[in-house]
Amino acid sequence: MKDTHRHKGLRNQLVKIIKSKGIKDEKVLDAISKIPRHLFMDSGFIDFAYQDNAFPIAADQTISQPYTVAFQTELLQLEPKDKVLEIGTGSGYQTAVLIDLKAEVYSIERQKELYEKTRKFLPRLGYVAKKLNFGDGYKGWPEYAPFDKIIVTAGAPFVPKPLLSQLKIGGRLVIPVGDDVQIMTLFIRKGEKEFEKHELGDFRFVPMLKESQK
Ligand code: SAH
């Protein structure tokens, strides 16, 4: 597990690209400049780790595009100690960004292979989540609700009700909604039954799958 000056230099270039695309939050940019994304990817793709693209990981899934990770994280407006639910642990890269921003992260992954791999890998890099779970993100995580922030990193065909109900009042849910193309959607919980909704542009994610789907 090597992180060299060359990798660091490539990360600085990547930060410049993400900045030029509109990301302003210095803490988010700082996390991207620090986290060795190449170590979250299968070895064959290491040369591509610092291009601003999504790439295949195990179990037919992808590590999200760095710009997308930064965009979603910026929308969360994280405060230190925020209790954050993440749906779609995947490679753990987004998880590491959240932990770097001092969030207490509860993350769920439905692919056993990825769950097992990332559970072992993240602590080796020094990123310790509060809890990782192998399970179905459509249900949220009622045992640990409510959450200050919720982030979904797979394309959701609809907004799962449990995620809205597990959000604290004042909390924020960032979720890409749609089938082939997803609209990045931010919900801010204003009251028990009141949610403000913002739509923030088109993105492409691998689909959020139900338990019964492959
Ligand atoms: N944020 C991660 C993964 C992005 S890919 C990264 O950047 O590496 C989306 C992830 O969501 C995949 O790992 C996929 O297996 C997972 N996923 C899909 N449907 C899910 C569900 N219902 N519950 C939990 N995770 C799910």
Side-chain angles (χ1 to χ4, degrees):
M1 298 224 297
K2 262 208 209 146
D3 187 33
T4 64
H5 279 299
R6 181 173 158 254
H7 291 119
K8 177 83 185 149
L10 291 171
R11 277 202 292 282
N12 288 337
Q13 291 299 324
L14 177 62
V15 166
K16 276 191 193 150
I17 292 170
I18 291 174
K19 244 180 161 168
S20 75
K21 292 182 180 176
I23 302 299
K24 293 194 179 70
D25 188 327
E26 286 296 335
K27 289 193 185 126
V28 174
L29 294 167
D30 188 51
I32 305 260
S33 80
K34 280 196 297 203
I35 300 172
R37 186 173 187 252
H38 62 285
L39 299 179
F40 291 75
M41 296 168 59
D42 295 334
S43 55
F45 291 116
I46 277 181
D47 283 344
F48 301 106
Y50 297 108
Q51 295 180 8
D52 189 23
N53 285 319
F55 272 104
I57 52 173
D60 285 333
Q61 303 304 316
T62 58
I63 179 169
S64 296
Q65 182 180 344
Y67 169 72
T68 305
V69 170
F71 189 80
Q72 288 195 275
T73 309
E74 191 170 69
L75 284 176
L76 288 177
Q77 295 189 353
L78 288 174
E79 302 284 346
K81 301 261 182 214
D82 267 357
K83 200 170 162 186
V84 179
L85 175 64
E86 178 190 35
I87 309 299
T89 318
S91 69
Y93 180 72
Q94 171 75 72
T95 319
V97 171
L98 298 171
I99 294 171
D100 190 78
L101 274 88
K102 304 193 167 45
E104 296 186 348
V105 183
Y106 298 74
S107 186
I108 304 176
E109 171 57 54
R110 74 180 285 286
Q111 298 284 350
K112 188 80 182 235
E113 182 184 353
L114 284 170
Y115 163 72
E116 293 292 356
K117 193 172 169 185
T118 301
R119 185 171 63 93
K120 293 186 195 113
F121 171 73
L122 273 179
R124 283 173 62 202
L125 276 193
Y127 295 103
V128 181
K130 265 287 194 211
K131 296 259 172 206
L132 298 175
N133 191 23
F134 167 59
D136 179 12
Y138 276 93
K139 298 176 185 144
W141 205 338
E143 291 93 318
Y144 295 102
F147 298 95
D148 296 293
K149 313 282 160 70
I150 300 178
I151 175 171
V152 178
T153 71
F158 58 88
V159 183
K161 286 252 163 64
L163 299 186
L164 289 169
S165 67
Q166 289 174 26
L167 203 55
K168 280 188 195 169
I169 293 179
R172 300 161 82 87
L173 162 65
V174 176
I175 179 169
V177 187
D179 292 320
D180 297 332
V181 178
Q182 293 85 34
I183 301 176
M184 192 63 76
T185 312
L186 164 68
F187 290 91
I188 305 172
R189 189 168 198 172
K190 292 291 186 182
E192 201 49 50
K193 293 193 172 150
E194 207 188 324
F195 293 86
E196 200 177 278
K197 179 180 171 185
H198 303 264
E199 293 187 330
L200 299 149
D202 290 353
F203 288 80
R204 272 172 209 275
F205 285 80
V206 292
M208 185 175 176
L209 299 177
K210 296 262 180 58
E211 251 165 343
S212 55
Q213 291 175 298
K214 270 237 158 158

